[in-house]
Amino acid sequence: MNNVDYGELLRHFEEQRTKRQEEFKREMEGLEETISGLKKMLSRQQPLFRPEPRVITNLPGRYAGISVRWAVLSLLGEDSHGPLPTAKIAEALKAGGITSDSLNFTSNVSAVLSVMTNKRNEVESTESGYQLTDIGRSAWTAIKHTSQYLNRRAASASAPHA
């Protein structure tokens, strides 16, 4: 007859299963460590070529009659292709019709960006410049549909531009 000790056979396979589970666990931990290390390296890695920030420059009157904050939200939300440094933002806003009596408009824009970053969380600073956060995108979406914004846009569109 059959002299197989099924209890011994069962213990053997359970030991094999446990051994393989432990090997698999160690292998997965090693993979997770490697993946984590690579992610850290990539987050610190500088791109070889940083593209020049691009701004749509044909914006006469686009920002006339609105606040610097609204203009920044519009610029970063619709008119730029990537993060922009403060000086480029100031340049684009002036080209788009923002007027200011400040002695240094770029400093004024910098102050507005500081509030938008630190108090409102609407923009964030990157190595390439400022970009909208999700909160900033939501704010801009809400603002551009208000009657106050639409009325200012209509008034500036009918005014003559230089």
Side-chain angles (χ1 to χ4, degrees):
M1 273 238 172
N2 197 352
N3 290 337
V4 176
D5 183 351
Y6 289 108
E8 184 63 33
L9 191 58
L10 177 62
R11 277 187 293 282
H12 169 74
F13 283 116
E14 286 176 336
E15 286 174 7
Q16 289 296 311
R17 179 182 62 191
T18 301
K19 181 181 173 185
R20 289 186 180 157
Q21 284 175 334
E22 289 170 0
E23 290 172 356
F24 179 73
K25 183 180 174 188
R26 282 192 300 274
E27 186 176 336
M28 289 302 295
E29 287 170 350
L31 284 171
E32 288 298 327
E33 227 176 273
T34 301
I35 289 169
S36 176
L38 286 169
K39 284 181 178 179
K40 285 178 186 173
M41 285 174 41
L42 282 171
S43 70
R44 287 186 234 130
Q45 185 177 6
Q46 297 293 321
L48 290 176
F49 303 101
R50 181 171 289 132
E52 185 67 27
R54 295 183 307 150
V55 180
I56 299 170
T57 55
N58 188 14
L59 303 170
R62 173 106 166 123
Y63 309 121
I66 63 173
S67 69
V68 171
R69 176 179 163 257
W70 283 13
V72 168
L73 290 170
S74 176
L75 173 66
L76 296 178
E78 297 186 11
D79 302 327
S80 70
H81 303 284
L84 294 173
T86 305
K88 291 260 186 205
I89 292 172
E91 181 182 310
L93 297 186
K94 284 204 110 165
I98 289 275
T99 56
S100 172
D101 294 331
S102 90
L103 295 174
N104 186 337
F105 183 64
T106 302
S107 293
N108 184 15
V109 170
S110 179
V112 171
L113 287 167
S114 178
V115 170
M116 292 175 75
T117 301
N118 299 316
K119 293 188 179 174
R120 295 179 172 270
N121 197 26
E122 294 172 329
V123 296
E124 62 188 356
S125 179
T126 70
E127 288 183 21
S128 305
Y130 288 92
Q131 65 187 14
L132 288 184
T133 62
D134 289 338
I135 292 171
R137 275 186 282 286
S138 295
W140 175 240
T141 299
I143 289 166
K144 71 181 180 180
H145 292 101
T146 64
S147 60
Q148 184 181 11
Y149 175 76
L150 295 171
N151 289 339
R152 288 182 182 186
R153 291 283 296 141
S156 70
S158 63
H161 299 289

